[in-house]
Amino acid sequence: DGGITQSPKYLFRKEGQNVTLSCEQNLNHDAMYWYRQDPGQGLRLIYYSQIVNDFQKGDIAEGYSVSREKKESFPLTVTSAQKNPTAFYLCASSLETGPSQPQHFGDGTRLSIL
Amino acid sequence: QQPVQSPQAVILREGEDAVINCSSSKALYSVHWYRQKHGEAPVFLMILLKGGEQKGHEKISASFNEKKQQSSLYLTASQLSYSGTYFCGTEGGRETSGSRLTFGEGTQLTVNP
């Protein structure tokens, strides 16, 4: 079955450490997205990518970095510059960016500070 | 700018109806609706494009009033499975938002037996 796989499900970060969250899709979608969700709040866009080797900052990109070397993969690195990384991180994809394309979400990674 | 959803929370008994609203201060090209159950991924419900058409999905339907920059989600004869947090995601069109969604803070819906 096609879908989006995020790993790990739970992740713990030590002070000063960079961590990378994995997101893989086999839906053959062009566009991919990373969102951050804090308790009781909506989804905030961190980065998105419309095609391979290209990505744009979202609303809260500071302290995060991404790469898009393959169509099916869009890893997110939470750097030590992100001082409050504890949150639920969701990866999504859509066939292409545009107003008529639904976004399909992975099951998320829950990141906490040790 | 983030759309505003109302109400923030609603509690229903099975079989009752509910309306969830989503308003934006900016012109909208489309509105997406998603439902998220606790600890799970959001699930796509429907998209409404400019034109004010109403869409339906089983007993869940929605409308989009582009003049008022508002969308409403209608849940009729609610079922226990409808419980969750409902999010609207708005898009202003390629020329204003780069074809990406801005989500509201969500409306928590609880359906009790």
Coordinates of all heavy atoms in Angstrom, one line a residue, chain A residues 35 37 41-43 45 48 57-59 88 90 97-103 105-106 110, chain B residues 29-30 32 34 36 39-42 44 47 49 87 91 94 98-101 103-105:
Chain A
Y35 N 5.5 19.9 9.1 CA 4.8 20.8 10.0 C 5.2 20.5 11.5 O 5.6 19.3 11.8 CB 3.3 20.5 9.9 CG 2.6 20.9 8.6 CD1 2.5 20.0 7.6 CD2 2.2 22.2 8.4 CE1 1.9 20.3 6.4 CE2 1.5 22.5 7.2 CZ 1.4 21.6 6.2 OH 0.9 22.0 5.0
Q37 N 3.5 20.6 15.4 CA 2.3 20.8 16.1 C 2.6 20.8 17.6 O 3.2 19.8 18.1 CB 1.3 19.6 15.8 CG -0.1 19.8 16.4 CD -1.1 18.8 15.9 OE1 -0.7 17.7 15.6 NE2 -2.3 19.2 15.8
Q41 N -2.7 23.0 19.6 CA -2.5 24.0 18.6 C -2.6 23.4 17.2 O -2.6 22.2 17.0 CB -1.2 24.8 18.7 CG -1.1 25.5 20.0 CD 0.0 26.5 20.1 OE1 0.5 26.9 19.0 NE2 0.5 26.8 21.2
G42 N -2.7 24.3 16.2 CA -2.7 23.8 14.8 C -1.4 23.5 14.3 O -0.4 23.4 15.0
L43 N -1.3 23.2 13.0 CA -0.1 22.8 12.3 C 0.6 24.1 11.8 O 0.0 24.9 11.1 CB -0.4 21.9 11.2 CG -0.8 20.5 11.5 CD1 -2.2 20.4 12.1 CD2 -0.7 19.6 10.3
L45 N 3.8 25.4 9.4 CA 4.7 25.0 8.3 C 6.1 25.3 8.6 O 6.4 26.5 8.8 CB 4.2 25.6 7.0 CG 4.9 25.1 5.7 CD1 4.7 23.6 5.5 CD2 4.4 25.9 4.5
Y48 N 8.8 23.4 2.9 CA 8.1 22.6 2.0 C 9.0 22.5 0.7 O 9.8 23.4 0.4 CB 6.7 23.1 1.7 CG 6.6 24.4 1.0 CD1 6.2 24.6 -0.3 CD2 6.8 25.6 1.8 CE1 6.1 25.8 -0.9 CE2 6.6 26.8 1.2 CZ 6.3 26.9 -0.1 OH 6.1 28.2 -0.7
K57 N 11.3 28.0 2.7 CA 11.1 28.1 4.1 C 9.5 28.3 4.3 O 8.9 29.0 3.5 CB 11.8 29.3 4.7 CG 13.3 29.1 4.8 CD 14.0 30.4 5.4 CE 15.5 30.2 5.5 NZ 16.2 31.3 6.1
G58 N 9.1 27.8 5.4 CA 7.7 28.0 5.9 C 7.7 29.2 6.9 O 8.5 30.0 6.9
D59 N 6.7 29.1 7.8 CA 6.5 30.2 8.8 C 7.5 30.1 9.9 O 7.7 31.1 10.6 CB 5.1 30.2 9.3 CG 4.1 30.4 8.2 OD1 4.3 31.2 7.3 OD2 3.1 29.7 8.1
F88 N 5.3 17.7 18.2 CA 4.9 16.6 17.4 C 5.1 17.0 15.9 O 4.6 18.1 15.5 CB 3.4 16.3 17.6 CG 2.8 15.1 16.9 CD1 3.5 13.9 16.9 CD2 1.6 15.1 16.3 CE1 3.0 12.7 16.3 CE2 1.1 13.9 15.7 CZ 1.8 12.8 15.7
L90 N 5.0 16.5 11.9 CA 4.2 15.8 10.9 C 4.8 16.1 9.5 O 5.1 17.2 9.1 CB 2.8 16.2 10.9 CG 2.0 15.6 12.1 CD1 0.7 16.5 12.3 CD2 1.6 14.2 11.8
T97 N 2.0 21.0 -5.7 CA 1.5 22.1 -4.9 C 0.4 22.7 -5.7 O 0.5 22.7 -6.9 CB 2.6 23.1 -4.6 OG1 3.2 23.5 -5.8 CG2 3.6 22.6 -3.7
G98 N -0.6 23.3 -5.1 CA -1.7 23.9 -5.8 C -2.9 23.8 -5.0 O -3.0 23.0 -4.0
P99 N -3.9 24.6 -5.3 CA -5.1 24.7 -4.4 C -6.0 23.4 -4.5 O -6.9 23.3 -3.7 CB -5.8 25.9 -5.0 CG -5.4 26.0 -6.4 CD -4.0 25.5 -6.4
S100 N -5.8 22.6 -5.4 CA -6.8 21.5 -5.5 C -6.2 20.1 -5.1 O -6.8 19.1 -5.3 CB -7.2 21.3 -7.0 OG -6.1 21.0 -7.8
Q101 N -5.1 20.2 -4.4 CA -4.4 18.9 -4.0 C -4.5 18.7 -2.6 O -4.0 19.4 -1.8 CB -2.9 19.0 -4.5 CG -2.7 19.2 -5.9 CD -3.3 18.1 -6.8 OE1 -3.4 17.0 -6.4 NE2 -3.9 18.5 -7.9
P102 N -5.1 17.6 -2.1 CA -5.1 17.2 -0.7 C -3.7 16.8 -0.2 O -2.9 16.3 -1.0 CB -6.1 16.1 -0.6 CG -6.1 15.5 -2.0 CD -5.8 16.6 -2.9
Q103 N -3.5 17.1 1.0 CA -2.2 16.6 1.6 C -2.4 15.3 2.4 O -3.4 15.2 3.1 CB -1.6 17.7 2.5 CG -1.2 19.0 1.7 CD -0.5 20.0 2.5 OE1 0.0 19.8 3.6 NE2 -0.4 21.2 1.9
F105 N -0.8 12.8 5.2 CA 0.1 12.9 6.3 C 0.7 11.5 6.8 O 0.0 10.5 6.7 CB -0.6 13.5 7.5 CG -0.9 15.0 7.4 CD1 -2.0 15.4 6.7 CD2 0.0 15.9 7.9 CE1 -2.2 16.8 6.5 CE2 -0.2 17.3 7.7 CZ -1.3 17.7 7.0
G106 N 1.9 11.6 7.3 CA 2.5 10.4 8.0 C 2.0 10.4 9.4 O 1.2 11.3 9.8
R110 N 7.3 12.2 17.6 CA 7.2 13.0 18.8 C 8.6 13.2 19.4 O 9.3 12.2 19.7 CB 6.3 12.3 19.8 CG 5.7 13.2 20.9 CD 4.6 12.5 21.6 NE 3.4 12.3 20.8 CZ 2.5 13.2 20.6 NH1 2.6 14.4 21.0 NH2 1.4 12.8 19.9
Chain B
Y29 N -8.3 31.3 -2.0 CA -8.6 30.6 -3.2 C -9.2 29.2 -2.9 O -10.0 28.7 -3.7 CB -7.2 30.4 -4.0 CG -7.4 29.8 -5.3 CD1 -7.6 30.6 -6.4 CD2 -7.4 28.4 -5.5 CE1 -7.7 30.1 -7.7 CE2 -7.6 27.9 -6.8 CZ -7.8 28.8 -7.9 OH -8.0 28.2 -9.1
S30 N -8.8 28.6 -1.8 CA -9.3 27.3 -1.4 C -9.3 27.1 0.1 O -8.5 27.8 0.8 CB -8.5 26.2 -2.1 OG -7.3 26.0 -1.5
H32 N -9.2 23.8 2.8 CA -9.2 22.3 3.0 C -9.7 22.0 4.4 O -9.4 22.8 5.4 CB -7.7 21.8 3.0 CG -7.0 22.0 1.7 ND1 -6.1 21.1 1.2 CD2 -7.0 23.0 0.8 CE1 -5.7 21.5 0.0 NE2 -6.2 22.6 -0.3
Y34 N -9.6 19.0 7.5 CA -9.0 17.7 8.0 C -9.5 17.4 9.4 O -9.9 18.3 10.1 CB -7.4 17.9 8.1 CG -6.8 18.1 6.7 CD1 -6.7 19.3 6.1 CD2 -6.2 17.0 6.1 CE1 -6.1 19.5 4.9 CE2 -5.5 17.2 4.8 CZ -5.5 18.4 4.3 OH -4.9 18.6 3.0
Q36 N -8.3 15.2 12.9 CA -7.2 14.5 13.5 C -7.7 13.9 14.9 O -8.3 14.6 15.7 CB -6.1 15.5 13.8 CG -4.9 14.8 14.4 CD -3.8 15.9 14.7 OE1 -4.0 17.0 15.0 NE2 -2.5 15.4 14.6
G39 N -3.3 11.9 18.9 CA -2.0 11.2 18.7 C -1.9 10.6 17.3 O -0.9 9.9 17.0
E40 N -2.8 10.9 16.4 CA -2.7 10.4 15.1 C -2.5 11.4 14.0 O -2.5 12.6 14.3 CB -4.0 9.6 14.7 CG -4.3 8.4 15.7 CD -5.6 7.7 15.3 OE1 -6.2 8.0 14.3 OE2 -6.0 6.8 16.1
A41 N -2.3 11.0 12.8 CA -2.1 12.0 11.7 C -3.5 12.6 11.3 O -4.5 11.9 11.3 CB -1.5 11.3 10.5
P42 N -3.5 13.8 10.8 CA -4.7 14.4 10.3 C -5.1 13.6 9.0 O -4.3 13.2 8.2 CB -4.3 15.8 9.9 CG -3.1 16.1 10.7 CD -2.4 14.8 10.9
F44 N -7.5 13.8 5.5 CA -8.2 14.7 4.6 C -9.7 14.5 4.5 O -10.1 13.3 4.4 CB -7.6 14.6 3.2 CG -8.3 15.3 2.1 CD1 -8.3 16.7 2.0 CD2 -9.0 14.6 1.2 CE1 -8.9 17.3 1.0 CE2 -9.7 15.2 0.2 CZ -9.7 16.6 0.1
I47 N -11.9 19.5 0.0 CA -11.4 20.7 -0.5 C -12.5 21.5 -1.1 O -13.3 21.0 -1.9 CB -10.3 20.6 -1.5 CG1 -9.0 19.9 -0.9 CG2 -9.9 21.9 -2.1 CD1 -7.9 19.6 -1.9
L49 N -13.0 25.0 -3.5 CA -12.4 26.0 -4.3 C -13.2 27.2 -4.4 O -14.4 27.2 -4.2 CB -12.0 25.5 -5.7 CG -11.1 24.2 -5.7 CD1 -10.8 23.8 -7.1 CD2 -9.8 24.5 -5.0
F87 N -9.5 20.7 11.6 CA -8.7 21.8 11.2 C -9.1 22.3 9.8 O -9.4 21.5 8.9 CB -7.2 21.4 11.1 CG -6.6 21.1 12.4 CD1 -6.4 19.8 12.8 CD2 -6.1 22.1 13.2 CE1 -5.8 19.5 14.0 CE2 -5.5 21.8 14.5 CZ -5.4 20.5 14.8
E91 N -5.7 28.6 1.7 CA -4.7 29.0 0.6 C -5.2 30.2 -0.1 O -6.3 30.3 -0.5 CB -4.6 27.8 -0.3 CG -3.5 28.0 -1.4 CD -3.2 26.7 -2.1 OE1 -4.0 25.8 -2.0 OE2 -2.2 26.7 -2.8
R94 N -1.4 31.0 -5.6 CA 0.0 30.9 -5.9 C 0.6 32.3 -5.7 O 1.7 32.5 -5.3 CB 0.3 30.4 -7.3 CG 0.0 29.0 -7.4 CD 0.3 28.4 -8.8 NE -0.2 27.1 -8.9 CZ 0.6 26.0 -8.7 NH1 1.8 26.2 -8.3 NH2 0.1 24.8 -8.8
G98 N 2.3 31.1 -2.2 CA 3.2 30.1 -2.7 C 2.6 28.8 -2.7 O 3.4 27.8 -2.6
S99 N 1.3 28.6 -2.8 CA 0.7 27.3 -2.9 C 0.9 26.5 -1.7 O 1.3 25.4 -1.8 CB 1.1 26.6 -4.1 OG 0.8 27.3 -5.3
R100 N 0.7 27.1 -0.5 CA 0.8 26.3 0.7 C -0.3 26.6 1.7 O -0.9 27.7 1.5 CB 2.2 26.6 1.4 CG 2.2 28.1 1.7 CD 3.6 28.5 2.2 NE 3.4 29.5 3.3 CZ 4.4 30.2 3.8 NH1 5.6 30.0 3.4 NH2 4.2 31.1 4.7
L101 N -0.6 25.7 2.6 CA -1.7 25.9 3.5 C -1.3 26.6 4.8 O -0.2 26.3 5.3 CB -2.3 24.5 3.8 CG -3.0 23.8 2.7 CD1 -3.5 22.4 3.2 CD2 -4.1 24.6 2.0
F103 N -3.0 26.7 8.6 CA -4.0 26.0 9.3 C -4.5 26.8 10.5 O -3.7 27.6 11.1 CB -3.4 24.6 9.9 CG -3.3 23.6 8.8 CD1 -2.2 23.4 8.1 CD2 -4.4 22.7 8.5 CE1 -2.0 22.4 7.1 CE2 -4.3 21.7 7.6 CZ -3.1 21.6 6.9
G104 N -5.8 26.6 10.8 CA -6.4 27.2 12.0 C -5.9 26.4 13.2 O -5.3 25.4 13.1
E105 N -6.3 26.9 14.4 CA -5.9 26.2 15.6 C -6.8 25.0 16.0 O -6.5 24.2 16.9 CB -6.0 27.2 16.8 CG -4.9 28.2 16.7 CD -4.6 28.9 18.0 OE1 -5.4 28.8 19.0 OE2 -3.6 29.6 18.1

